[in-house]
Amino acid sequence: MKKLIPILSTLLFVAVIAVIFVSLAREEQPVTIVKGNTAFKPLPIKLDATNDTQCKMLIKSERNAAEVIAPDGRTWFFDDPGCMILWLESREWKDRARLWVHTLDTKRWIDARKAWYGVRDATAMHYGFGAREKKCDDCIDYEEMRLRMLRGENLTNPKIRKKLLGV
């Protein structure tokens, strides 16, 4: 009997570990990329179950969300247009990618390169570039928004924040 107790204890321990691993494997993991989007259209985002590719935050709203579709149909998701720009810059196919943003004014998905961007908007990562379909006062085009993001000229920069918001 004394020899049987250590064997049973070991088997019980192994069984508990196995149950834990099996249960973790069954949990739905956050979406980070979708393959096969050959229509090159924006895909529905599973809110609270999709990670931003750049900052890794869970996407909680379509407000200012963005998507990048590579020429081969792979699709990545972002909670902020600024995250999309930072991530996209190092991709060799960046000029051939389809870019989509969800707009504040019409609440639709539009081509990110045709959107207009506010510079003081509340966005998930606080960069301030909220997308719009229609041009507004103080809006900038995609290329200007891109350059400002890459230069760090957004609301996360204290000097820019003070200049734009007076705070």
Side-chain angles (χ1 to χ4, degrees):
M1 183 70 171
K2 287 186 178 183
K3 291 181 181 179
L4 195 57
I5 291 176
I7 293 172
L8 288 175
S9 297
T10 303
L11 286 175
L12 181 61
F13 179 74
V14 170
V16 168
I17 297 297
V19 167
I20 291 171
F21 277 114
V22 168
S23 68
L24 287 176
R26 288 185 185 166
E27 286 184 27
E28 192 171 318
Q29 300 298 315
V31 175
T32 55
I33 184 173
V34 173
K35 296 179 180 178
N37 184 1
T38 56
F40 302 99
K41 298 288 185 192
L43 299 174
I45 296 176
K46 294 179 183 177
L47 300 179
D48 295 316
T50 303
N51 279 2
D52 180 301
T53 303
Q54 173 68 18
C55 70
K56 309 302 183 223
M57 299 286 290
L58 277 177
I59 299 174
K60 303 211 171 271
S61 169
E62 281 190 338
R63 178 184 165 91
N64 292 310
E67 295 185 17
V68 171
I69 307 170
D72 65 2
R74 289 175 296 160
T75 304
W76 292 269
F77 306 92
F78 303 88
D79 62 0
D80 190 303
C83 288
M84 173 183 69
I85 296 300
L86 294 174
W87 181 83
L88 186 62
E89 191 59 24
S90 64
R91 306 297 174 254
E92 64 184 42
W93 41 262
K94 66 183 174 190
D95 295 328
R96 294 180 289 129
R98 291 293 310 262
L99 312 178
W100 296 95
V101 289
H102 199 268
T103 62
L104 291 171
D105 56 353
T106 60
K107 298 178 180 18
R108 298 182 332 132
W109 287 100
I110 67 166
D111 184 330
R113 291 183 175 100
K114 294 178 182 175
W116 295 95
Y117 297 88
V119 295
R120 298 180 188 93
D121 295 312
T123 63
M125 295 308 294
H126 309 290
Y127 295 121
F129 299 117
R132 291 168 175 77
E133 191 165 2
K134 298 175 177 100
K135 189 173 182 181
C136 64
D137 293 339
D138 297 330
C139 279
I140 57 176
D141 65 15
Y142 169 81
E143 195 55 36
E144 179 66 21
M145 183 272 294
R146 181 183 157 276
L147 290 173
R148 288 186 186 192
M149 268 308 299
L150 296 176
R151 293 188 301 228
E153 297 171 0
N154 57 65
L155 292 182
T156 63
N157 178 325
K159 289 180 182 178
I160 300 298
R161 184 174 187 77
K162 184 171 184 171
K163 179 181 174 185
L164 293 175
L165 300 178
V167 181

